[in-house]
Amino acid sequence: MSKENTSYLDSIFKLKENNTNVKTEIIAGVTTFITMAYILFVNPDILSVAGMDFNAVFMATCISAAIGTLIMGLYANLPFAQAPGMGLNAFFTFGVVLTLGYTWQQALAAIFISGILFIILTITGAREAIVEAIPNSLKHAIGGGIGLFIALIGFKNAGIVVTDEATLVAFGSFSDTAVLLSVIGLVITGILMARKLKGAILIGIVLTTVIGIPMGVTSTQLMEFSFDISPTLFQMDFAGLLDIGEAGIVGALTSVLTVVISFSLVDMFDTIGTLIGTGAKAGMLDEKGKLPNMNKALLADAVATSAGAMLGTSTVTTYVESAAGVAEGGKTGLTATTTGILFILAIFLAPFALMVPAQATAPALIVVGVLMMGAVKEIDFEDFSEALPAFLTIAVMPFSFSIANGIAAGIIFYCITKLFTGKIKEIHPTMILLAVLFILRFTILPH
């Protein structure tokens, strides 16, 4: 790359100021994309159960991810990627559509409303105020909890950990070639990381993918796609969502509000948790535990959620897999911009996207989990009023398979322990409000 181009990129993304360079940022962006590319196929697979067109949702997933990630990179100058969230897509299909009885068009309308609500809250600074209210001990715990959560996803995708009726979880079969490939990938990536090789995670993914070809794990068969987004584009049904029907106006509004609030709470704290956790890992938080351009990052999430609903996909959120790119040295928006461009290219390279098997990205997630666990050393475990909320934040994330649930547990128990140990002054008023909202979320609202 010429000096002129490098200088131009530096002026946009402040590379020298952040002690990074173009090569590092691009490698980080590619790494983030590869580790989260699975969502391009998993999201359509889940939403198609709700009756949505697979190919149209694939297109919507690519475009909405590109929109959110490019805004994150070019506007907020942060290395975080966005896409329709796992868990949120499952809630969309199995909670809102199949359980509550809404159509997928009505569910998209609810997501659009939650996106607009987020834009308002972000512009007014309310969402950033929530971030600032979270104590540092919980912020560090969020990073560690996300580390365990990522590692669990990695172990699950690898087949190293499987479900078991008697013990809940158990070891998978190491005679299975897919599991064996994951172990080989973990060994390769672990060695490269230990040797501090630049691009270790990305190299590990590529090598594991190649090794998977003769083992019969890496697919070389191309898929056929119809690049038509019209079946889901602008299909939001506001009239149906707000239909009074037999429930009456109070019942109808209550039902709609519970759905919108449920989407909003989970998305808000998934995004906040990821931004804080990965930001801490990258050393981007200031002495107050605040992330630069946090409000801009939150606005990217809000705009992408509304855009995603219009395109035809579930709530867009900041992805925890962004930590993979951060671990490769990504510090600026050039990382996110690279990932965003790859999401656009993925539309045209869809038939090749399945070339990278889950067994190749799983070791990367496990390694990132190791890196993020380092945040827990900043927690004061001698003070039990700090230790219990922090531990619950860390433990509940993987055990409930939800970042938002972990944050909720930490916030609720932080308020309880501080209140009954005479340290009420350490509780920010916003924390009390959040604790009440989460208690209502778990006891009354659908989840």
Side-chain angles (χ1 to χ4, degrees), residues 16-352:
K16 290 182 181 178
E17 183 179 320
N18 287 282
N19 194 29
T20 186
N21 56 64
V22 173
K23 180 182 177 181
T24 298
E25 294 291 306
I26 291 177
I27 289 176
V30 172
T31 301
T32 295
F33 174 78
I34 290 177
T35 55
M36 63 185 287
Y38 67 88
I39 192 61
L40 298 180
F41 296 92
V42 175
N43 193 53
D45 190 53
I46 292 175
L47 296 190
S48 63
V49 177
M52 302 182 73
D53 181 80
F54 184 97
N55 291 339
V57 175
F58 174 86
M59 293 284 290
T61 302
C62 290
I63 298 171
S64 62
I67 290 172
T69 304
L70 288 173
I71 294 175
M72 184 72 77
L74 297 171
Y75 177 61
N77 194 26
L78 290 171
F80 307 117
Q82 298 194 327
M86 287 294 293
L88 287 160
N89 50 15
F91 176 62
F92 177 100
T93 295
F94 302 105
V96 178
V97 177
L98 298 183
T99 300
L100 296 179
Y102 288 97
T103 65
W104 61 263
Q105 293 92 337
Q106 292 164 357
L108 287 177
I111 289 174
F112 181 81
I113 293 172
S114 72
I116 296 300
L117 176 63
F118 274 164
I119 291 174
I120 296 171
L121 290 175
T122 303
I123 292 174
T124 59
R127 290 180 80 185
E128 188 171 20
I130 291 173
V131 178
E132 293 177 1
I134 299 174
N136 284 336
S137 61
L138 289 189
K139 288 178 180 176
H140 293 307
I142 289 169
I146 290 176
L148 280 182
F149 181 68
I150 291 176
L152 176 60
I153 294 174
F155 282 122
K156 178 177 177 290
N157 291 350
I160 295 174
V161 172
V162 297
T163 57
D164 185 278
E165 290 186 6
T167 60
L168 191 61
V169 292
F171 257 158
S173 173
F174 291 94
S175 61
D176 185 329
T177 54
V179 178
L180 183 60
L181 177 62
S182 296
V183 174
I184 292 172
L186 183 57
V187 171
I188 291 173
T189 308
I191 291 173
L192 295 176
M193 288 293 296
R195 294 182 65 86
K196 299 182 179 180
L197 183 68
K198 278 288 184 182
I201 294 176
L202 178 58
I203 294 171
I205 292 172
V206 173
L207 289 178
T208 306
T209 299
V210 173
I211 293 171
I213 295 175
M215 293 179 67
V217 178
T218 300
S219 173
T220 56
Q221 183 176 4
L222 300 182
M223 294 181 62
E224 292 186 7
F225 277 87
S226 171
F227 300 98
D228 181 14
I229 196 174
S230 61
T232 61
L233 184 65
F234 300 122
Q235 294 297 315
M236 300 169 292
D237 181 9
F238 292 99
L241 177 67
L242 301 173
D243 183 29
I244 296 175
E246 297 180 0
I249 187 169
V250 176
L253 287 177
T254 301
S255 181
V256 171
L257 284 174
T258 56
V259 172
V260 171
I261 292 173
S262 295
F263 275 128
S264 300
L265 283 178
V266 176
D267 180 32
M268 178 184 293
F269 284 94
D270 268 358
T271 295
I272 288 174
T274 300
L275 290 173
I276 292 174
T278 53
K281 179 68 189 74
M284 299 171 67
L285 303 186
D286 59 22
E287 62 278 359
K288 295 181 179 179
K290 185 178 179 181
L291 181 73
N293 295 333
M294 171 65 86
N295 226 37
K296 290 183 177 181
L298 295 174
L299 187 60
D301 167 73
V303 172
T305 290
S306 296
M310 289 188 286
L311 292 165
T313 186
S314 53
T315 307
V316 175
T317 188
T318 303
Y319 253 64
V320 70
E321 283 83 356
S322 301
V326 170
E328 284 294 346
K331 295 181 179 179
T332 75
L334 181 54
T335 293
T337 301
T338 301
T339 305
I341 292 172
L342 289 173
F343 273 123
I344 295 174
L345 294 177
I347 297 173
F348 308 101
L349 300 176
F352 299 94

